[in-house]
Amino acid sequence: MEQNRVIIFDTTLRDGEQSPGASMNLDEKVRIAQTLEDMGVDVIEAGFPIASAGDFEAVNAVAKVVKKSRIAGLARAVRADIERCAEAVRPAELSRIHTFISTSPLHMKYKLQMEPDAVVQAIHDSVSLARNLVDDVEWSAEDGSRTEHDFLCRCVETAIAAGARTINIPDTVGYAVPDEYAALIAMLINRVPNIDQAILSVHCHNDLGLAVANSLAAVRSGARQIECTINGLGERAGNAALEEIVMALRTRNDAMPFTTGIRTEAITRASKLVSTVTGFVVQPNKAIVGANAFAHESGIHQDGVLKNAATYEIMTPESVGLSRSSLVMGKHSGRHAFRDKLKQLGYELGDNALNEAFKRFKDLCDKKKDVFDEDIIALVDDEARANDHIRFQSLEVIAGSKGPQKATLELEIDGQSARAEESGDGPVDATFKAIRALFPHEARLQLYQVHAVTGGTDAQAEVTVRLEENGKTVIGQGADTDTLVASARAYVTALNKLLTKREKTAPAPVSA
């Protein structure tokens, strides 16, 4: 590998999915993995195979379809995890087992309840086992940034000697600051005798808003793999954002002369896909992919940009795949033109999915005067849920100031149509009560949010719904020109995600 080439390790499907509410089903994980592959991501961490049957199946499915990216699975330093992980990634043309154990005094004492010597032995045994099952092994020192330096050096040397060829030093709780983290990486390079046999990796969390800064500082000190996620998705405050890492390296190549294999024009498409699948709306002022990232409202700014875009834009919208909203489709557009437009937007649909999407497109054309790219993206992303247990069919609502507000809803549940009529305190409440009548559940509605996909009174509404059940949170989105239909679709999507979430079980704790 070139000395200045940085490996991009994407963990959206694993660490990203651990965000409260960000549950993905198998089909969604495969779609995201294929998008990451098309972007040029080097390593895709597809999941934690021991966590559940669903996680195993997802990693295994991704391993079967992705050909160019390396597929990694996560495993704790125990035999069952590692063997299950090896089985999950076996179909991959390029595979990796990523095994980890805590190394900080705090974690060893309270989480593992293990002595340092026992941790070192576990590192040797787990990496050796993994290396006998796959050719490529990565080892991580959980809470590495708060680990004593002497002990961390000992652990890293042991892991490399046992066969690990990537060593990850995570800032697990987002505690580090850039200078300190860079010094930690430099210390390992200077003190670990066999460090030249491995690539140093970093995995930074964003609890103090420093994940990207810490990752870039580590690269300048000698790290050559960055672990990150699309939109910075991840536990608590999230991870280092892939799009920010990549565009920082590209835009400031003068200060950081490093390269990646990422095709940056695919960034916006990947961001929108992950946002739609997880239900996590990207904040408008988010760097690189936020709606306002290339918007200019100040008169002074607008004047400068009109004269020369470089006055206020340090990168072009096109460099991240952002195209200006343009009217290109209408009610007279045919199936062939629709398929071509989908390809331009980054979608490849099978015949059945294309037929369903085209039908909804025609329906949308009858409702909307102008159909924009964003409308088509929202329509297709909302439709692509072929394996859901519950599917929306129809909704009729009686609303108004006099009341009573009523909703008549029809759903398809495991292939069977069901119909219910309910009254409520407003049409949304009535609609959601009808869903509960057809599919009884105890989940609590935590969030209901509406925003327009494009401008105008005929704009599609995109609704976000967040449900909570027994400590598990899920988020669903739905889009339609009718806000109430979009609301029903969003709630149904959230319920389907909840069913997926119910299948996931936490793996048993590691014991000494």
Side-chain angles (χ1 to χ4, degrees), residues 116-437:
D117 286 347
V119 169
V120 173
Q121 187 62 50
I123 293 168
H124 174 272
D125 294 346
S126 59
V127 173
S128 297
L129 173 61
R131 182 61 186 84
N132 285 330
L133 297 173
V134 295
D135 293 333
D136 189 328
V137 176
E138 175 174 341
W139 175 76
S140 285
E142 186 178 11
D143 207 20
S145 59
R146 295 194 296 178
T147 298
E148 295 173 342
H149 285 194
D150 288 348
F151 185 65
L152 184 59
C153 289
R154 182 185 173 194
C155 291
V156 169
E157 184 178 1
T158 298
I160 295 173
R165 289 299 170 260
T166 301
I167 298 295
N168 183 40
I169 310 299
D171 184 28
T172 302
V173 293
Y175 183 73
V177 296
D179 289 349
E180 174 186 59
Y181 197 55
L184 177 63
I185 298 300
M187 181 275 297
L188 291 171
I189 291 173
N190 291 329
R191 288 186 54 184
V192 177
N194 56 359
I195 197 69
D196 60 320
Q197 298 176 31
I199 292 170
L200 270 175
S201 175
V202 291
H203 178 122
C204 298
H205 279 264
N206 205 39
D207 298 70
L208 295 177
L210 295 171
V212 170
N214 284 336
S215 299
L216 296 175
V219 167
R220 296 180 76 174
S221 277
R224 287 297 180 268
Q225 176 176 285
I226 297 178
E227 306 192 2
C228 45
T229 62
I230 300 294
N231 298 338
L233 201 64
E235 292 192 85
R236 303 184 312 279
N239 289 275
L242 180 149
E243 60 277 4
E244 296 176 25
I245 294 286
V246 170
M247 292 310 294
L249 292 175
R250 172 172 165 162
T251 305
R252 292 306 313 274
N253 200 247
D254 57 327
M256 298 174 287
F258 308 103
T259 62
T260 72
I262 298 297
R263 186 171 63 86
T264 62
E265 294 78 9
I267 283 175
T268 296
R269 168 74 190 107
S271 171
K272 288 181 177 178
L273 174 61
V274 170
S275 175
T276 299
V277 165
T278 61
F280 277 54
V281 178
V282 175
Q283 68 192 59
N285 64 331
K286 166 77 170 63
I288 314 299
V289 294
N292 293 348
F294 295 95
H296 307 278
E297 186 166 332
S298 162
I300 295 174
H301 286 206
Q302 289 174 346
D303 181 65
V305 168
L306 288 172
K307 291 173 179 175
N308 186 326
T311 54
Y312 289 102
E313 289 184 355
I314 61 173
M315 66 196 89
T316 66
E318 292 77 14
S319 69
V320 297
L322 186 65
S323 60
R324 301 304 185 187
S325 182
S326 58
L327 175 65
V328 290
M329 300 291 287
K331 64 168 61 179
H332 301 298
S333 299
R335 191 183 306 271
H336 182 72
F338 182 66
R339 187 192 290 271
D340 285 346
K341 168 52 67 174
L342 291 181
K343 286 183 179 179
Q344 291 175 27
L345 296 174
Y347 293 91
E348 291 280 354
L349 301 184
D351 289 341
N352 290 338
L354 178 68
N355 290 338
E356 288 295 323
F358 185 67
K359 180 179 180 299
R360 283 197 66 194
F361 165 70
K362 284 294 191 179
D363 291 342
L364 183 62
C365 289
D366 288 335
K367 298 174 183 176
K368 269 182 114 281
K369 178 182 177 182
D370 298 331
V371 178
F372 295 93
D373 288 356
E374 291 88 345
D375 290 312
I376 296 174
I377 289 169
L379 180 152
V380 176
D381 283 339
D382 185 53
E383 187 66 32
R385 309 189 59 83
N387 295 324
D388 283 349
H389 292 282
I390 311 167
R391 294 179 65 82
F392 172 85
Q393 289 191 319
S394 69
L395 175 68
E396 293 180 14
V397 174
I398 298 175
S401 59
K402 294 183 177 180
Q405 291 82 30
K406 293 182 180 180
T408 303
L409 177 71
E410 190 172 354
L411 299 178
E412 181 184 293
I413 303 173
D414 291 326
Q416 300 294 317
S417 291
R419 188 172 180 273
E421 182 178 303
E422 293 288 332
S423 298
D425 184 12
V428 175
D429 184 50
T431 299
F432 289 178
K433 281 184 176 178
I435 294 174
R436 286 179 176 272

Side-chain angles (χ1 to χ4, degrees), residues 417-481:
S417 291
R419 188 172 180 273
E421 182 178 303
E422 293 288 332
S423 298
D425 184 12
V428 175
D429 184 50
T431 299
F432 289 178
K433 281 184 176 178
I435 294 174
R436 286 179 176 272
L438 293 174
F439 191 84
H441 57 278
E442 299 300 321
R444 183 170 62 89
L445 180 66
Q446 287 189 325
L447 173 74
Y448 172 77
Q449 182 174 288
V450 182
H451 79 274
V453 174
T454 55
T457 56
D458 63 350
Q460 283 195 97
E462 193 165 65
V463 175
T464 300
V465 164
R466 183 168 68 215
L467 301 178
E468 184 272 331
E469 179 188 70
N470 298 325
K472 295 179 179 180
T473 306
V474 292
I475 295 175
Q477 284 187 324
D480 197 272
T481 52

